Amino acid sequence: MTTTTDSVGQQQQQQAAAGTLAPGMTNRLEPREDHSKFWQNAHFYFDRAYQTMNLDPVWRSVLSAPKRVLTVSCPVRMDDGRIQVFTGYRAQHSNARGPFKGGIRYDTGVNRDEVMALAMLQTWKNALVDLPFGGAKGGVVCEPKKLSIAEKERLTRRYTSEIMPIIGPDEDIPAPDAGTDAQVMAWVLDTYSMMVGKHALGVVTGKPVSIGGYDGREEAKGRGVMNVLRKFLATKNKNLADVRVAVQGFGNVGYHTARLLDMRGATVVAISDKFGGIYDDSGIDIEKAGLYYKEHGQLTGFGGGDPISNDELLVCDCDVLAPCAMENTIDADVAPNIKAWCVIEGANGPTTPMADEILRENGVTVIPDILANAGGVTVSYFEWVQGLQNFFWTQKEVQDELQKIMEKSFDEVNAKADSADVDYRSAAYTIAISRVAEACRLKGLFP
Ligand code: NAD
């Protein structure tokens, strides 16, 4: 077994500093193959905003790369007696504003660049909605649907013990991301608690309700997307009942986004998972689709609409497109054909910089991930605070506080976009980076 921790080395600094728009485009059918590009894309958005700001260049170098990336090797005994070795990561980008915070992803596509990119995005997201957290992300290279429950538990416990030296309620607080859920968080909590010899409620968020979780946490990302979209539409004198929405991805984020938009009167005309989707101009029955997806793990075979591919979903006839699947699904090939006039990013990093530029030129408003999907971490923050205090809020209190934070954050981004005459992504990055850079400046350098 090998475990290596590297502070940001020279090579990584150079890679980050050179982060510009990468040549060549992602194949949108297999968007996760060129992982290095995701890091470059995340870095590009940071660097582009930083250059327009009147800030000390030293913080640009500091924030250009993660503070720490831990790579771990996790040997796990499988049900048939074999030992399989899984690779895991925990990237910690910045803790200038508070403990690191970010999800744990289980997926075959997880790699070092991906967690670095997601950790950086998490720093900006947490700062944008003004939470007292830095940004982190972790992941294990595995196919979660192919693991038995017992194998997943052993893998989670081993991975937790490997990243144990750098996590904790005041150090780094993981949460669910793609491929993980409340049960996985319960195993992280238990493993950590066993190793420190005390119940450590604050070490993870997204826990099951019976052990300190919040039962609206699963829908929080979708609820945040809905809150932000409603505010944006109000600036156009529209409401949710006026729009036809297409949602890519039908997991945690996509399903709840579609469900809550549908409940508030929007017409959800298209949904999809990684195997394809369906389109119905008169609106899809989201509850039924959700039950089918839960039972079959995919939408294929669900009636209630015409079958479409993921490509067709992205360019279908709709007002609002909500990419809620994975990174880089909207690239320069697909962007010119998008008919929606608003793209709201439920997923992290779904739009490549070239696609972003094309959408802007075509007059499509993009509401960026660091604003649109911040509902999950916001409710995680409430859960963390409640865990530390052992004092629990009602569901209504959580929903009301979430709405306040999402609406205030939208208003700030909207005002910045107006005053600086820039798009929402640039405005959001400017606000977030200035908050993180200010924290860096005030704290100064150690030693
Ligand atoms: P999930 O694993 O629950 O669901 C992912 C969905 O996307 C599935 O329906 C899957 O079939 C589909 N999908 C995967 N690849 C696809 C592709 N190439 N094209 C179309 N569909 C594809 O994951 P999730 O938790 O819903 O996360 C989705 C995104 O939202 C990720 O970018 C994640 O980082 C982000 N996010 C998650 C959370 C969280 O707490 N779960 C919070 C904020 C942001």
Side-chain angles (χ1 to χ4, degrees), residues 160 164 167-169 171 188-196 200 203:
T160 305
M164 176 90 190
I167 62 168
E171 290 85 28
V188 175
L189 166 68
D190 186 61
T191 305
Y192 183 89
S193 297
M194 294 305 288
M195 291 178 78
V196 296
V203 71

Side-chain angles (χ1 to χ4, degrees), residues 105 176-178 217 221 250-253 273-274 293 310 325 348:
R105 178 179 282 194
D177 192 75
R217 206 255 168 219
K221 281 84 50 182
F250 207 56
N252 192 317
V253 181
D273 60 35
K274 72 170 145 191
Y293 186 81
N310 262 296
N348 288 314

Side-chain angles (χ1 to χ4, degrees), residues 203-396:
V203 71
V204 280
T205 58
K207 300 180 287 289
V209 183
S210 54
I211 50 171
Y214 161 64
D215 77 353
R217 206 255 168 219
E218 288 223 332
E219 63 158 43
K221 281 84 50 182
R223 187 167 285 280
V225 172
M226 187 259 293
N227 288 330
V228 170
L229 182 59
R230 199 167 43 184
K231 281 290 277 183
F232 166 68
L233 292 175
T235 68
K236 307 276 172 212
N237 293 320
K238 289 184 189 296
N239 60 48
L240 288 171
D242 297 323
V243 292
R244 297 153 72 250
V245 187
V247 181
Q248 183 195 43
F250 207 56
N252 192 317
V253 181
Y255 166 66
H256 288 293
T257 296
R259 183 180 66 81
L260 289 160
L261 291 178
D262 176 52
M263 275 173 65
R264 299 295 169 118
T267 307
V268 180
V269 294
I271 53 174
S272 73
D273 60 35
K274 72 170 145 191
F275 306 107
I278 54 171
Y279 182 87
D280 186 343
D281 199 33
S282 60
I284 292 164
D285 186 332
I286 299 299
E287 276 311 329
K288 260 196 195 159
L291 289 173
Y292 185 91
Y293 186 81
K294 211 170 179 183
E295 192 180 340
H296 297 87
Q298 56 184 56
L299 289 164
T300 314
F302 175 67
D306 300 327
I308 51 167
S309 67
N310 262 296
D311 280 359
E312 288 168 328
L313 177 135
L314 294 172
V315 301
C316 77
D317 193 11
C318 63
D319 302 302
V320 176
L321 173 62
C324 299
M326 287 291 169
E327 51 267 17
N328 297 346
T329 56
I330 299 178
D331 62 20
D333 288 344
V334 80
N337 303 318
I338 285 178
K339 297 188 187 70
W341 43 265
C342 170
V343 171
I344 184 158
E345 296 182 334
N348 288 314
T351 311
T352 67
M354 282 173 81
D356 200 49
E357 185 66 40
I358 293 167
L359 292 173
R360 190 166 42 250
E361 278 167 8
N362 289 350
V364 180
T365 300
V366 178
I367 305 179
D369 46 8
I370 62 171
L371 171 63
N373 73 31
V377 71
T378 302
V379 168
S380 269
Y381 166 60
F382 300 153
E383 183 184 327
W384 180 69
V385 168
Q386 292 167 64
L388 293 180
Q389 298 179 341
N390 274 299
F391 180 79
F392 297 92
W393 308 356
T394 64
Q395 191 163 21
K396 179 159 187 335

Side-chain angles (χ1 to χ4, degrees), residues 106 148-157 160 181-194 204 208 211:
Y106 285 180
S148 70
I149 292 286
E151 287 168 343
K152 205 192 270 190
E153 177 175 355
R154 287 194 290 273
L155 171 60
T156 301
R157 288 187 183 280
T160 305
D181 55 16
Q183 176 60 77
V184 171
M185 294 307 113
W187 293 324
V188 175
L189 166 68
D190 186 61
T191 305
Y192 183 89
S193 297
M194 294 305 288
V204 280
I211 50 171

